Amino acid sequence: LHAIGALSAGICHQIATPVNNLKLRLGRLEREINETTQDDRFDDDFESLKASMLHTEQAVRRLAQIHKRPEEELWFDEPLGDFIQNALTSWKGVPKNAAMEVRFSFPKRLVVKMPIGAVQQVLSDLLDNGREAMDGSGIIELSISTCEKEKLVKINFDDHGPGFLEDIVDSLGEPFNSSKNRGSGLGLYHAKIVANLMGGDVYVSNRTPKGARVTFAFSKEFICG
C-alpha cells in the first residue's frame, strides 16, 4: 500500500503540471480567438475542452486524496448495522440523494474492527455509484451475507440501473476505468484498496433482468467477539 501511495503521488504530480499548463494555454487561445475573429463556431468545442480539463483535475485530485494510508487511520470496533445506518443517514442528508430509497437488511448483529473513515468513504462512493446508475432516483438494496468457504463477510449493493458493460466488467476497480460517461473508476479503486486491507476484495456483477451488484467483502478475522 505504501508503494502504491508513493507511485500514485508521483503520477499525480506528473499529470498535474501539464494539465495546469494546458488550462492556461486553452484559456489564452479562447480569448485570442474571441477577440480577433468574433467567431462563435468554436464555443461548443471550448466548453467541451474545459469540461474535460476540469474532470481530469478532479480525478487527479481524488486519486491523490484516496491514498491517505487507511491502515494508519483510527480503527474501532463498531456494530456494522449501526455503522451503516449512520453512514446512510449522513448520505441521505445530501440534497442530490434525497430522491433515492435505500433498503437494507442485516441477518444478525456483527461487531467489526475497521478503519472507520475509509469504510465510510467506501459506503458513500458505492451508494453514489448506485444513484448515478439510476439517474438520481430509484431503489438501492443493501444486504450482508457470509461466505463460509472463503471466510468472508460481504456487504452487497444492488441497484436497478442498466448494469455494467460486459466488455469492461473484468477491469472494473482499476483507476480511470469506468462504465459511466464521466466516471473515473476511483470509487471502486478505493473500495478495493480498503477491502484488500481488511483481507477481502470488491466484486461486481450484473443482475437479472437488469441492474448491478457491487460487493465489498472483508475477512471474518475482523469480526470481534
Side-chain angles (χ1 to χ4, degrees), residues 6 13 34 75 81 89 92 106 119 144 171 177 180-181 201 224:
H13 176 73
N34 288 338
W75 288 62
T89 299
K92 284 283 289 181
F106 305 119
V119 175
I144 293 179
S171 300
N177 185 68
K180 296 179 289 187
N181 291 334
D201 209 338
C224 304

Side-chain angles (χ1 to χ4, degrees), residues 2-32:
H2 288 176
I4 292 172
L7 177 62
S8 67
I11 291 173
C12 290
H13 176 73
Q14 293 297 322
I15 294 176
T17 300
V19 164
N20 189 53
N21 184 45
L22 286 169
K23 274 184 59 182
L24 293 173
R25 293 183 180 273
L26 178 62
R28 182 189 304 170
L29 181 61
E30 182 181 24
R31 288 193 300 272
E32 289 184 0

Side-chain angles (χ1 to χ4, degrees), residues 77-92:
D77 299 347
E78 292 281 339
L80 186 57
D82 294 344
F83 180 81
I84 292 177
Q85 178 62 69
N86 290 336
L88 177 58
T89 299
S90 176
W91 183 80
K92 284 283 289 181

Side-chain angles (χ1 to χ4, degrees), residues 30-159:
E30 182 181 24
R31 288 193 300 272
E32 289 184 0
I33 288 179
N34 288 338
E35 290 172 1
T36 58
T37 68
Q38 302 297 318
D39 192 339
D40 61 2
R41 289 180 301 166
F42 304 106
D43 287 354
D44 289 344
D45 293 317
F46 279 118
E47 289 304 315
S48 178
L49 285 168
K50 287 189 289 186
S52 295
M53 294 300 296
L54 177 60
H55 181 60
T56 303
E57 278 189 306
Q58 291 171 338
V60 171
R61 189 178 303 116
R62 187 171 180 191
L63 180 59
Q65 290 174 343
I66 65 174
H67 287 293
K68 292 183 177 178
R69 297 180 180 176
E71 76 277 14
E72 295 179 1
E73 288 191 13
L74 295 177
W75 288 62
F76 288 101
D77 299 347
E78 292 281 339
L80 186 57
D82 294 344
F83 180 81
I84 292 177
Q85 178 62 69
N86 290 336
L88 177 58
T89 299
S90 176
W91 183 80
K92 284 283 289 181
V94 178
K96 64 182 178 181
N97 300 329
M100 296 300 303
E101 178 182 353
V102 182
R103 299 174 181 172
F104 59 95
S105 58
F106 305 119
K108 60 181 179 179
R109 183 177 177 85
L110 295 175
V111 178
V112 179
K113 188 177 188 66
M114 55 187 165
I116 57 173
V119 175
Q120 184 162 0
Q121 184 61 52
V122 168
L123 296 175
S124 179
D125 287 341
L126 297 185
L127 287 167
D128 284 346
N129 285 350
R131 184 202 68 231
E132 291 168 7
M134 292 183 285
D135 295 325
S137 64
I139 300 171
I140 300 174
E141 299 173 44
L142 269 65
S143 61
I144 293 179
S145 59
T146 57
C147 179
E148 296 299 331
K149 181 179 179 181
E150 298 174 348
K151 297 183 178 180
L152 293 174
V153 178
K154 299 181 176 182
I155 306 176
N156 306 300
F157 296 74
D158 294 338
D159 68 53

